[in-house]
Amino acid sequence: MFDGQPTLSDGTFTLRPLTPADQTHLRAAASDPLIWAGHPASTRHLPEVFNLYFEKLLTFCQTLIIAHDSQTIGCSAYYTGSTQPGTIAIGYTFITRAYWGGQTNKAIKTLMLNHAFQSYDAVWLHIGPDNIRSQKATQKLGAIYTHTDTMDTASGPTKMQFYKLSRSAWRDRIGH
């Protein structure tokens, strides 16, 4: 049985279940327009757009708050892709720009992937076609592009690139 809202930590970052009380801190973390540049939801920094995203995270996904030194720096979620019943995906991820370009994404995804691979043989990641930064980060994890399809996101139906990472490819990547 997969626990989609665990508390995960590597000593630097802690991921814990999202609660309604997190809205103010998560909205503050998401308020930088540059976070959303190249993202299908490029206006998500606006409070009214963010609030819809937050509601979706609470109801549709199994979302985890990402914290560093008890400060909310973003979130990520486990979910089942609308076109792939019975599978697990990781997405709806963002982190504040102060944590871009280093090991943050890899550390967060390592925690989430290690947890998911306890129950699943593969994990899917869905990324907007113009979100080159996320595509590159996903490829660095070892995920392989499989196809482009339309899926329902927190912003409505959107074309997304589908990447798949198998448990064996992940283990090869991390040396296990």
Side-chain angles (χ1 to χ4, degrees):
M1 204 64 167
F2 180 68
D3 177 7
Q5 291 201 291
T7 297
L8 307 170
S9 181
D10 65 1
T12 301
F13 299 100
T14 300
L15 285 69
R16 62 161 180 80
L18 176 75
T19 69
D22 292 314
Q23 186 167 7
T24 300
H25 292 293
L26 194 59
R27 185 182 325 128
S31 66
D32 179 352
L34 294 177
I35 290 173
W36 307 104
H39 190 276
S42 62
T43 59
R44 197 169 276 162
H45 63 282
L46 299 172
E48 62 275 12
V49 178
F50 175 83
N51 290 342
L52 294 172
Y53 168 69
F54 187 81
E55 288 303 315
K56 178 114 179 177
L57 293 176
L58 281 174
T59 60
F60 173 72
C61 299
Q62 299 171 78
T63 306
L64 303 173
I65 286 289
I66 303 165
H68 180 257
D69 293 332
S70 301
Q71 178 183 359
T72 298
I73 64 166
C75 69
S76 192
Y78 293 111
Y79 63 97
T80 299
S82 58
T83 62
Q84 300 164 297
T87 65
I88 192 75
I90 295 174
Y92 295 92
T93 305
F94 83 88
I95 53 176
T96 57
R97 286 190 305 132
Y99 292 89
W100 287 9
Q103 293 296 311
T104 303
N105 184 63
K106 183 178 179 187
I108 291 162
K109 291 298 191 319
T110 295
L111 288 167
M112 294 182 76
L113 288 165
N114 286 341
H115 180 71
F117 284 134
Q118 292 175 24
S119 300
Y120 291 93
D121 291 327
V123 173
W124 289 89
L125 299 106
H126 307 111
I127 302 169
D130 297 327
N131 193 341
I132 305 303
R133 183 178 46 81
S134 291
Q135 291 170 28
K136 287 180 179 180
T138 296
Q139 292 166 353
K140 285 180 185 177
L141 296 172
I144 305 296
Y145 168 79
T146 62
H147 65 286
T148 299
D149 200 352
T150 299
M151 64 180 283
D152 189 14
T153 67
S155 304
T158 305
K159 278 219 183 270
M160 300 295 272
Q161 291 185 344
F162 286 58
Y163 289 80
K164 184 178 183 179
L165 179 59
S166 70
R167 181 188 295 144
S168 61
W170 176 245
R171 286 187 176 154
D172 289 346
R173 177 71 63 165
I174 62 171
H176 282 80

